[in-house]
Each structure stands twice: as C-alpha cells, then as structure tokens.
C-alpha cells in the first residue's frame, strides 16, 4: 500500500515543503495539496520547491478542477514540472468545491469534467487535443506522463471515474462506503472495456494517532463538514433516500445549516457542529497506531492502493513520524 500526505498551502510555503520532505523520509510516496486559489497559496509554485527538495515524491492537487484554469495551462504546468523533475506529478481533479464556490461560481458539470480529464492528459503527454473546438498540442513535450485521478461520490461521477480516470479518489475511509464505491468504479471500468484493476484506488481521510479519542475527534470533525458539501449536492440531486446514493453517506447532514468556507478544512470549524462522533470515527482514522493498522488492512483488502493522510490538526509532525515508524512498515511488511 502506498501512502500520501495531504496539506493546505498555508503560508509560509517553506513549512509545506518541510512537511513534505519529512513525509518522504518517513516512507510516504505522494505529496498532495488542496487547490483553492482564494483560500490558500498557489500550489503549483510550491510543487516546484517540493520536487526540488525531494528525490522520489510524486506531487499533485487533491483536487484541482476544470474551471479555475484553462485546460492547456493546467496541462502545460504539469508538463513543465515533469520535464524539470522527471514525471513526478499526478493530477487529482474533481468538479470543484471551495475553489469554485468561494469565487462565486458553481461546481463544474460532470460533462465538462469528463472532457477536461481527456484533454489535460492528452496535452500533458504530448498528444493533440481539442480545446474549445481548436486542435492544439504542446510541441515541446517529450516522454511526458500524467496520471489523472478523479474524485467522486455520486453514481454518475463514480461511473465516469471508472470509464475515464487513471485513478479514483474517495475522500472518506468508511469501509462499507469504500467497498460500495470501489465496486461501482471497477464495474464502470469493465463496462467501458478497461481492465478494472488498472484504476488506482486512493482513499483520503484525516488520521490522528493517540489515545485521547475525544480530542482526536474534535481535531478531525471538520472533515465531515467538508464531505458534507458534496453530500448536500447529492441529496439535492437524488433526494434524501435514493437507491442510487447510500443512506450511510447522506443521513448525517440533516442538521447541516450552511457552510462558511473561511474555516474550510480546519480544526475547530464552527460549520461542522452537526457532524456526529460516529461519522468522524467512520470517515477518519483515529486512536492508537494499532487501530490505524487494523483499519488500513481492511481498506487494503477492499482494493485500496493508497491511503492519503489529511494532516490538518495539531499533531502534524507526530502523525507523519508515527506513520513512518509504525504504521507504514506494518502495512508493507
């Protein structure tokens, strides 16, 4: 099983670079960041520094979207980093939540997202693609490689991930929901004539190592609110009780009363008081190292190839170090 570290690009950028270097020393293979231009610093600038100061770490956004940058610019940015540092990037992409809504725009449609996945990959790998009806190619790209992984929850998005994406990003660590959604992605891949095992499965969620469960929950409750933004979209589209979306994902947002993005992804987010303890326990990895190992083994058995640690709490260094000394070795022994 691979491991990734997910950070927000809060200033100073040097601290983000330092944590990514620490992660690589501790056996993490991927370094991910949020991508929301208003709320945080520009991640692609920081990726260049991370790549310069690491040797093998693969970096990318979790997740970008097809609306805040033109597709040829996104592809060219990835291709430039790959030329400089040797194909060490991955493009996580989705419809867009904070990046779009904070700028006053709705998330992108699935149709637009699906088209963008194809175009960005083609251009970044040196092939021709059509942008707004115009065929273009990046003539300087040589031997470029850009895996594109799609974040998804709903049935149509899961089907698209299976049909088009190189990887699937599921932003929660509940085993039941993981099994359900991974199965949907694998089925869609097979239906599209692809090898289902060719789709990399990445589960991303907060991890907090320690015996004080109440404190860990408080530090990670923000995650249920972040996921709740996407769940609210699903409920508005499919209804509260739909055969297409499991109740295990949707019922907890009944008490949700809006969301303040100024606290997005941060411990103590006041917009997440509606998130109950059982959701925090299901969606996150909490408790002593042994509890993390047990849950990760369960996820691995469900087909998860990578666990990406959302590291937004008051124990960033301890989490990275404990994963490196105890948890990653146990999963890869």
């Amino acid at each position: 099983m691979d491991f990734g570290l997910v950070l927000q690009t809060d200033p100073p950028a040097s601290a983000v670079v330092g944590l990514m270097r620490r992660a690589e020393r501790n056996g993490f293979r991927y370094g991910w960041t949020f991508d929301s231009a208003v709320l945080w610093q520009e991640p692609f600038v920081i990726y260049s520094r991370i790549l310069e100061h690491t040797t093998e770490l693969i970096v990318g956004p979790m997740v970008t979207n097809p609306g805040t940058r033109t597709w040829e610019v996104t592809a060219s940015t990835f291709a430039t980093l790959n030329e400089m540092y040797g194909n060490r990037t991955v493009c996580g992409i989705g419809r867009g939540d904070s990046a779009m809504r904070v700028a006053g725009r709705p998330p992108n449609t699935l149709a637009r997202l699906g088209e963008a996945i194809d175009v960005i990959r083609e251009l970044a790998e040196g092939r021709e693609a059509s942008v707004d009806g115009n065929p273009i190619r990046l003539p300087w790209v040589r031997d470029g490689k850009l895996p594109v992984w799609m974040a998804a929850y709903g049935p149509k998005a899961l089907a698209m991930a299976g049909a088009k994406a190189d990887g699937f990003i599921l932003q929660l660590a509940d085993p039941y929901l993981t099994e359900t959604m991974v199965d949907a992605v694998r089925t869609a891949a097979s239906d599209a004539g692809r090898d289902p095992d060719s789709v990399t499965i990445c589960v991303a969620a907060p991890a907090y190592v320690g015996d004080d469960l109440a404190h860990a929950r408080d530090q990670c409750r923000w995650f249920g609110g972040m996921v709740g933004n996407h769940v609210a979209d699903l409920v508005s589209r499919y209804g509260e009780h739909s055969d297409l979306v499991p109740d295990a994902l949707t019922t907890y947002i009944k008490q949700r009363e809006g969301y303040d993005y100024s606290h997005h992804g941060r411990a103590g987010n006041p917009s997440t008081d509606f998130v109950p303890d059982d959701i925090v326990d299901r969606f996150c990895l909490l408790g002593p190292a042994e509890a993390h190992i047990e849950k990760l083994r369960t996820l691995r058995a469900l087909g998860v190839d990578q666990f990406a640690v959302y590291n937004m709490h008051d124990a960033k260094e301890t989490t990275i170090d404990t994963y490196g000394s105890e948890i990653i070795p146990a999963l890869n022994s």
Side-chain angles (χ1 to χ4, degrees):
M1 178 181 261
D2 283 336
F3 287 83
L5 185 73
V6 190
L7 299 174
Q8 294 166 334
T9 51
D10 287 315
S14 58
V16 177
V17 176
L19 287 170
M20 290 298 187
R21 294 180 69 188
R22 190 182 196 117
E24 184 179 57
R25 291 195 301 269
N26 276 281
F28 289 77
R29 291 195 61 236
Y30 285 76
W32 303 92
T33 75
F34 283 29
D35 177 17
S36 188
V38 175
L39 297 178
W40 300 288
Q41 293 183 324
E42 171 54 39
F44 285 93
V45 177
I46 299 172
Y47 296 156
S48 187
R49 293 290 290 173
I50 295 170
L51 291 165
E52 181 181 3
H53 289 283
T54 56
T55 59
E56 297 182 359
L57 199 71
I58 298 166
V59 304
M62 189 177 282
V63 293
T64 193
N65 72 86
T68 53
R69 294 179 178 85
T70 61
W71 303 348
E72 69 274 17
V73 169
T74 299
S76 182
T77 304
F78 277 111
T80 301
L81 292 172
N82 283 338
E83 190 278 327
M84 293 173 68
Y85 299 105
N87 288 337
R88 289 170 52 202
T89 67
V90 57
C91 177
I93 194 167
R95 293 177 59 230
D97 177 30
S98 62
M100 296 296 289
R101 288 181 163 123
V102 168
R105 299 191 292 271
N108 297 271
T109 65
L110 276 178
R112 180 174 172 82
L113 174 57
E115 186 180 355
I117 287 172
D118 292 335
V119 169
I120 291 168
R121 184 197 294 116
E122 293 295 293
L123 292 177
E125 295 187 349
R127 295 182 294 275
E128 183 179 285
S130 176
V131 179
D132 296 328
N134 300 309
I136 62 173
R137 185 175 68 86
L138 305 180
W140 48 268
V141 174
R142 298 288 184 274
D143 302 317
K145 186 67 176 175
L146 182 66
V148 181
W149 296 8
M150 179 179 160
Y153 294 107
K156 292 182 180 179
L158 294 169
M160 180 175 287
K164 286 182 173 287
D166 301 297
F168 163 51
I169 297 171
L170 175 59
Q171 295 172 92
L172 53 80
D174 174 78
Y176 168 73
L177 292 172
T178 298
E179 182 176 19
T180 300
M181 295 184 186
V182 168
D183 181 66
V185 169
R186 299 283 197 214
T187 299
S190 180
D191 290 346
R194 307 177 66 197
D195 176 3
D197 292 331
S198 70
V199 182
T200 302
I201 306 297
C202 174
V203 160
Y208 197 104
V209 184
D211 295 323
D212 189 341
L213 189 57
H215 180 72
R217 285 170 175 156
D218 287 343
Q219 288 292 303
C220 298
R221 197 175 306 276
W222 63 265
F223 184 67
M226 186 184 82
V227 173
N229 295 330
H230 304 281
V231 174
D233 286 345
L234 293 176
V235 170
S236 67
R237 181 171 295 129
Y238 297 105
E240 289 189 11
H241 301 286
S242 168
D243 293 338
L244 298 175
V245 182
D247 285 350
L249 177 63
T250 61
T251 54
Y252 84 95
I253 69 162
K254 287 182 178 180
Q255 304 303 316
R256 181 178 182 270
E257 298 179 351
Y259 190 83
D260 181 356
Y261 280 93
S262 66
H263 304 283
H264 188 59
R266 300 190 185 281
N269 185 339
S271 297
T272 62
D273 291 345
F274 70 94
V275 180
D277 287 350
D278 72 291
I279 287 292
V280 184
D281 294 346
R282 284 171 45 206
F283 285 10
C284 305
L285 273 73
L286 311 176
E290 294 78 10
H292 291 242
I293 293 167
E294 180 181 1
K295 190 166 187 178
L296 286 167
R297 284 176 173 160
T298 298
L299 293 171
R300 183 178 63 183
L302 295 174
V304 175
D305 301 297
Q306 178 183 154
F307 176 63
V309 176
Y310 275 103
N311 205 28
M312 296 85 177
H313 47 58
D314 63 3
K316 294 181 178 67
E317 291 84 359
T318 299
T319 299
I320 294 170
D321 293 346
T322 305
Y323 262 72
S325 63
E326 299 182 48
I327 297 169
I328 293 176
L331 269 294
N332 292 328
S333 60

